[in-house]
C-alpha cells in the first residue's frame, strides 16, 4: 500500500491513529508512493530501496527486506489495503511472507483485487482470514462471484476531530463554486462528464465556478476540454492541495461523476464538512451515503443530462439546498472513526477465537 493518493490509503492512515490510541502497536509497510496522510505507528517504506531502473536485483533486495521484517515482528494481525496487479508477485507475498491476513476490498471492480478465475483466487487467498468490503454492494457482488465464506463489511471511517481542525483554514478563493475532487492518472473520476454537465447548466451564467482538485497525466486533456466548452474562465484547476477540507467547507456543494467507486471518501468528507453532495448513483457507494433530498441528490448512473438538471436544482431550489446542508454532517456521523475503529476491534477479537 501507500499513504497517499486515495480513499483506501486515507482509511489506513486514519485507522492507524485510532489503533495506536487504543494501545495497539501498528506498523505500516508502504510498497510505493509518497507519505502524505498523517499516520501513527512505525514505517517501512520499500519505495526508498528501489534503484533507478527497478532492476531484478532491486526487487529481490526489497523482497528479502520485506520477508525479514515480517519474520522479525511476527504480527498478530495483517491488514492488506493494496490492489493486486501482478499475480505471481502476490502469490509469493501471500504464501512466503504473510502468515494469516485480512484483505480489504475498496472497489466494486473486484478483478483489481482478486483473479476472476475461482481456482486462481483460492490459490492466492489460501491464508486469508477474512475479506472486508467497504460497502454492502461490494460484499453482495463478492458473494455472487466467489465461493469464499469469510466475509465482513466495514465502512470507511471519517476522522471528524481532524476535519474540524482543518476545515476553517483560508483557501484564498473569493468566488462561489462547486467542487470536484480526484486523481487524474486515469479517467475513473470522469471529469469530462462533470465539465460537460456544468457547461450545460445554469451555473456559469450565475457566476458559480467549478473548482477541481487533483493531479495526473490527464490534467492537460481536461484543461484543453475546458477551452472546448468555452469555460476556461469558469473551471478552475487547483492541483493537489494539502488540506482539501477547507475547500469542501467553502464549496456550495460537491459533485462526483465517477465511472465506478467502492465507498467514496469524497462524499463522506464533503458531508462531514457540512457541504451537500450530488453524485451518480453508482453500483457501489453513493446510495449507502446519500439520502436523496436529505443530504444531497442521487443522479441516474452515467446520465449527463440528469446530472445537469441536478446541478440546476441545487442552485434554484433554495429550500432543498438548505435542508441538505443542515443535515449533511449528522447524516454521516455513523461513519465516525470511533464507530468504524470499534468494528475493526470486534473483528480482531472474533478472528482470535
Amino acid at each position: 500500500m501507500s499513504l497517499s493518493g486515495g480513499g483506501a490509503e486515507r482509511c489506513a492512515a486514519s485507522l492507524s491513529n485510532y489503533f495506536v490510541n487504543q494501545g495497539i502497536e501498528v506498523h505500516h509497510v508502504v510498497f510505493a508512493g509518497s507519505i502524505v496522510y498523517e499516520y501513527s505507528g512505525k514505517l517501512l517504506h520499500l519505495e526508498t530501496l528501489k534503484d533507478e531502473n527497478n532492476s531484478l536485483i532491486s526487487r529481490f533486495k526489497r523482497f528479502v527486506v520485506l520477508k525479514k521484517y515480517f519474520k522479525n515482528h511476527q504480527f498478530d494481525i495483517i491488514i492488506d489495503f493494496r490492489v493486486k496487479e501482478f499475480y505471481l508477485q502476490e502469490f509469493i507475498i501471500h504464501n512466503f511472507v504473510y502468515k494469516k491476513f485480512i484483505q480489504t476490498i475498496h472497489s466494486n471492480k473486484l478483478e483489481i483485487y482478486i483473479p476472476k478465475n475461482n481456482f486462481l483466487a483460492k490459490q492466492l487467498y489460501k491464508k486469508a482470514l477474512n475479506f472486508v468490503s467497504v460497502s454492502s454492494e461490494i460484499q453482495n457482488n463478492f458473494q455472487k462471484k466467489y465461493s469464499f465464506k469469510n466475509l465482513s463489511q466495514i465502512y470507511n471511517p471519517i476522522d471528524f476531530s481532524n476535519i474540524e481542525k482543518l476545515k476553517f483554514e483560508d483557501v484564498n478563493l473569493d468566488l462561489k463554486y462547486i467542487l470536484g475532487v480526484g486523481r487524474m492518472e486515469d479517467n475513473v473520476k470522469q471529469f469530462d462528464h462533470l465539465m460537460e454537465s456544468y457547461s450545460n447548466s445554469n451555473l456559469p451564467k450565475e457566476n458559480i465556478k467549478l473548482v477541481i482538485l487533483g493531479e495526473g497525466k490527464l490534467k492537460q486533456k481536461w484543461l484543453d476540454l475546458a477551452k472546448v466548452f468555452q469555460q476556461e474562465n469558469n473551471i478552475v484547476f487547483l492541483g493537489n492541495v494539502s488540506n482539501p477540507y477547507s475547500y469542501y467547507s467553502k464549496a456550495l456543494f460537491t459533485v462526483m461523476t465517477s465511472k465506478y467507486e467502492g465507498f467514496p471518501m469524497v462524499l463522506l468528507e464533503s458531508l462531514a464538512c457540512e457541504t451537500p453532495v450530488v453524485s451518480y448513483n453508482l453500483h457501489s457507494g453513493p446510495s449507502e451515503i446519500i439520502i436523496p433530498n436529505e443530504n444531497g441528490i442521487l443522479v441516474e448512473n452515467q446520465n449527463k443530462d440528469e446530472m445537469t438538471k441536478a446541478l440546476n436544482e441545487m442552485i434554484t431550489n433554495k429550500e432543498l439546498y438548505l435542508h441538505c446542508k443542515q443535515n449533511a454532517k449528522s447524516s454521516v456521523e455513523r461513519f465516525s472513526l470511533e464507530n468504524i475503529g470499534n468494528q475493526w476491534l470486534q473483528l480482531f477479537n472474533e478472528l482470535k477465537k
Side-chain angles (χ1 to χ4, degrees):
M1 60 161 288
S2 68
L3 283 170
S4 63
E9 295 81 3
R10 193 185 295 277
C11 175
S14 294
L15 286 172
S16 73
N17 296 329
Y18 176 80
F19 293 151
V20 168
N21 285 335
Q22 300 302 309
I24 298 173
E25 182 179 330
V26 174
H27 293 248
H28 295 271
V29 178
V30 174
F31 283 70
S34 56
I35 309 298
V36 173
Y37 300 141
E38 183 181 332
Y39 69 93
S40 298
K42 299 177 182 178
L43 176 69
L44 171 63
H45 195 182
L46 293 170
E47 175 90 358
T48 62
L49 303 178
K50 278 186 181 180
D51 62 20
E52 188 174 340
N53 300 315
N54 194 22
S55 65
L56 285 174
I57 294 174
S58 171
R59 295 178 193 179
F60 180 73
K61 285 181 178 177
R62 294 202 303 278
F63 174 75
V64 171
V65 170
L66 180 68
K67 185 172 174 59
K68 184 178 180 181
Y69 194 79
F70 275 75
K71 183 179 179 181
N72 288 343
H73 289 92
Q74 296 293 309
F75 299 113
D76 297 312
I77 297 285
I78 298 167
I79 309 174
D80 198 333
F81 288 86
R82 300 174 305 124
V83 298
K84 307 303 171 75
E85 297 179 273
F86 306 107
Y87 182 88
L88 180 58
Q89 171 185 294
E90 297 305 329
F91 182 84
I92 292 170
I93 291 172
H94 285 199
N95 288 280
F96 297 100
V97 177
Y98 293 171
K99 292 189 298 180
K100 300 289 184 180
F101 68 102
I102 299 169
Q103 178 64 50
T104 62
I105 311 293
H106 286 259
S107 172
N108 209 26
K109 192 177 181 182
L110 298 180
E111 60 269 25
I112 65 177
Y113 291 95
I114 308 170
K116 292 181 179 179
N117 182 285
N118 250 297
F119 174 78
L120 293 178
K122 286 183 178 180
Q123 297 307 305
L124 186 60
Y125 285 100
K126 285 187 292 188
K127 293 185 177 182
L129 288 169
N130 202 276
F131 294 88
V132 174
S133 301
V134 297
S135 80
S136 296
E137 187 57 38
I138 291 176
Q139 186 177 32
N140 293 338
N141 193 20
F142 192 101
Q143 287 176 317
K144 291 175 185 176
K145 293 186 176 181
Y146 298 97
S147 56
F148 295 105
K149 303 298 181 186
N150 46 339
L151 310 179
S152 300
Q153 192 268 303
I154 303 177
Y155 290 120
N156 288 338
I158 307 171
D159 188 345
F160 281 99
S161 61
N162 188 48
I163 289 175
E164 287 299 315
K165 287 188 295 185
L166 296 172
K167 72 178 185 179
F168 295 111
E169 282 187 6
D170 188 22
V171 297
N172 291 320
L173 276 182
D174 187 21
L175 45 86
K176 291 193 295 184
Y177 66 93
I178 65 171
L179 187 66
V181 182
R183 67 181 185 274
M184 299 179 182
E185 287 302 319
D186 49 44
N187 197 23
V188 171
K189 303 303 179 184
Q190 294 188 146
F191 287 122
D192 50 339
H193 282 225
L194 175 55
M195 294 164 69
E196 182 176 343
S197 296
Y198 168 80
S199 300
N200 291 331
S201 75
N202 297 327
L203 276 67
K205 298 173 189 174
E206 298 290 334
N207 199 29
I208 298 172
K209 309 294 186 183
L210 167 59
V211 171
I212 299 179
L213 307 181
E215 283 289 351
K217 60 188 178 185
L218 293 181
K219 185 175 181 179
Q220 188 57 52
K221 180 179 179 179
W222 303 145
L223 287 165
D224 294 339
L225 188 60
K227 293 178 181 178
V228 171
F229 289 136
Q230 298 182 326
Q231 298 294 339
E232 61 267 37
N233 294 325
N234 287 321
I235 301 177
V236 182
F237 294 86
L238 295 181
N240 288 334
V241 297
S242 59
N243 176 15
Y245 306 117
S246 55
Y247 291 88
Y248 285 125
S249 67
K250 292 174 179 62
L252 292 174
F253 53 93
T254 300
V255 189
M256 196 179 74
T257 54
S258 299
K259 188 180 299 181
Y260 59 85
E261 291 281 348
F263 196 70
M265 294 301 293
V266 165
L267 301 182
L268 289 179
E269 291 170 350
S270 178
L271 291 166
C273 292
E274 302 180 62
T275 299
V277 292
V278 177
S279 173
Y280 280 153
N281 190 8
L282 305 174
H283 297 301
S284 172
S287 64
E288 296 176 57
I289 300 170
I290 298 175
I291 307 165
N293 300 326
E294 291 295 324
N295 62 359
I297 299 177
L298 277 174
V299 177
E300 181 183 353
N301 195 13
Q302 307 304 311
N303 191 326
K304 290 181 281 187
D305 291 335
E306 289 299 313
M307 178 58 72
T308 297
K309 292 178 183 178
L311 300 184
N312 288 336
E313 180 73 2
M314 267 299 205
I315 63 165
T316 57
N317 190 335
K318 302 298 184 184
E319 185 178 350
L320 170 67
Y321 174 77
L322 292 174
H323 182 70
C324 290
K325 188 171 181 64
Q326 183 179 14
N327 293 333
K329 185 177 178 181
S330 61
S331 72
V332 291
E333 286 177 347
R334 61 196 173 103
F335 304 116
S336 71
L337 181 57
E338 291 73 21
N339 286 343
I340 302 303
N342 186 56
Q343 290 177 38
W344 275 98
L345 294 183
Q346 290 176 19
L347 177 61
F348 296 163
N349 290 331
E350 289 172 10
L351 294 176
K352 288 178 183 179
K353 293 178 182 178

